[in-house]
Amino acid sequence: MKKISVLLLVVIGFTSFAQETKALFEEKITKKVTMGYVLQLPENTKEKYPLIVFLHGSGERGTDLELVKAHSPFTYQNLIKEPFAILAPQCPEGIWWDTEVVYELIKKTIAKNNIDPSRVYLTGLSMGGWGTWKLALEHPELFAAVAPVCAPVDRMMLFTAEKLKSKPIRIFHGALDDVVTPDNSIEMFQKLKGIGANVELTIFSNDNHNSWDSTYSNPEFYTWLFQQHQ
């Protein structure tokens, strides 16, 4: 009798576990986000003006907004002769760019100011270069031109590169970069070039990870940028 009772317990335990539920979970989930930013607008101009969106690197994360201007077009804005605006959000400490939040910030900035929506340009360096690729691939319709600098590139970016086929793109990297190797930019360039994209790659032979100064200190960069229209 003991053997039979043990056997029955095993069978009952097994059959009670074998239950399957198939259902659809549907729920609206909202989140509250906070992101600081610096917005510089031109003075005394009635005409619509272009907007440069700049995404900083990992070293400028946090809450000190002065940091976002440290390595950026802010430093070289005297090279730009026409009125323009520049928007530089700040990524919170400990995370990488939340491009959904940045996208909403850009849209609100355009809506509230006299910005020409056909002349919105996106650039960023290092972690911000990664954010530049990610945001441009998610919302290619928003930007007239894209310029990543010393940017990491992931597999998904290469897989979805087709979305940027018609977008003017300039990629910049240092040949001696041992933080984000130039292979990242070379591979993305080759992928885009292979699908017929309007893309150019500049490798600075003497630059390490800091290829942003070589990029943003060149007046020709801004000449090219502001020639692009949607």
Side-chain angles (χ1 to χ4, degrees):
M1 290 297 292
K2 289 182 179 179
K3 290 183 179 180
I4 294 173
S5 62
V6 170
L7 179 61
L8 286 173
L9 285 171
V10 172
V11 172
I12 292 170
F14 176 78
T15 55
S16 65
F17 178 77
Q19 296 181 8
E20 182 177 279
T21 300
K22 293 182 178 179
L24 179 65
F25 174 74
E26 185 175 352
E27 183 72 29
K28 183 177 180 181
I29 299 174
T30 60
K31 62 179 181 179
K32 182 178 180 180
V33 296
T34 302
M35 179 175 285
Y37 64 91
V38 175
L39 175 62
Q40 182 174 286
L41 301 172
E43 296 180 348
N44 304 319
T45 178
K46 296 181 180 179
E47 302 294 326
K48 285 187 174 294
Y49 42 80
L51 171 68
I52 297 176
V53 178
F54 169 72
L55 303 184
H56 64 72
S58 60
E60 290 72 58
R61 290 176 292 188
T63 56
D64 181 358
L65 284 170
E66 283 300 308
L67 290 176
V68 306
K69 300 188 289 184
H71 312 294
S72 72
F74 282 101
T75 306
Y76 302 102
Q77 59 185 299
N78 62 302
L79 300 175
I80 306 173
K81 304 308 178 185
E82 69 173 280
F84 77 103
I86 182 167
L87 172 65
Q90 186 171 40
C91 185
E93 192 67 55
I95 66 171
W96 278 41
W97 284 105
D98 185 334
T99 49
E100 180 183 356
V101 178
V102 178
Y103 173 67
E104 293 299 330
L105 174 60
I106 296 170
K107 286 201 305 179
K108 287 189 176 181
T109 301
I110 295 171
K112 292 181 178 180
N113 297 282
N114 197 28
I115 291 166
D116 183 349
S118 72
R119 301 180 70 198
V120 178
Y121 311 110
L122 178 62
T123 186
L125 60 89
S126 196
M127 182 190 77
W130 174 87
T132 295
W133 282 126
K134 187 171 185 292
L135 183 56
L137 286 162
E138 291 169 347
H139 300 283
E141 76 289 344
L142 187 59
F143 305 106
V146 179
V149 182
C150 57
V153 173
D154 59 46
R155 295 295 99 188
M156 184 56 68
M157 291 170 181
L158 292 165
F159 183 73
T160 57
E162 181 81 21
K163 295 180 180 180
L164 298 177
K165 183 177 180 179
S166 61
K167 197 65 54 181
I169 302 169
R170 298 295 179 269
I171 306 171
F172 303 91
H173 219 116
L176 307 179
D177 193 335
D178 58 357
V179 177
V180 179
T181 63
D183 291 346
N184 286 264
S185 290
I186 292 169
E187 191 172 9
M188 191 62 163
F189 169 75
Q190 291 173 338
K191 178 68 175 181
L192 289 165
K193 200 69 175 176
I195 59 175
N198 177 6
V199 59
E200 291 184 9
L201 170 63
T202 299
I203 300 290
F204 300 108
S205 59
N206 296 320
D207 283 0
N208 50 32
H209 192 48
N210 178 3
S211 52
W212 50 83
D213 281 327
S214 295
T215 300
Y216 297 138
S217 67
N218 186 354
E220 293 182 3
F221 171 72
Y222 304 103
T223 300
W224 167 78
L225 201 65
F226 289 134
Q227 287 175 345
Q228 313 308 315
H229 294 72
Q230 292 269 48

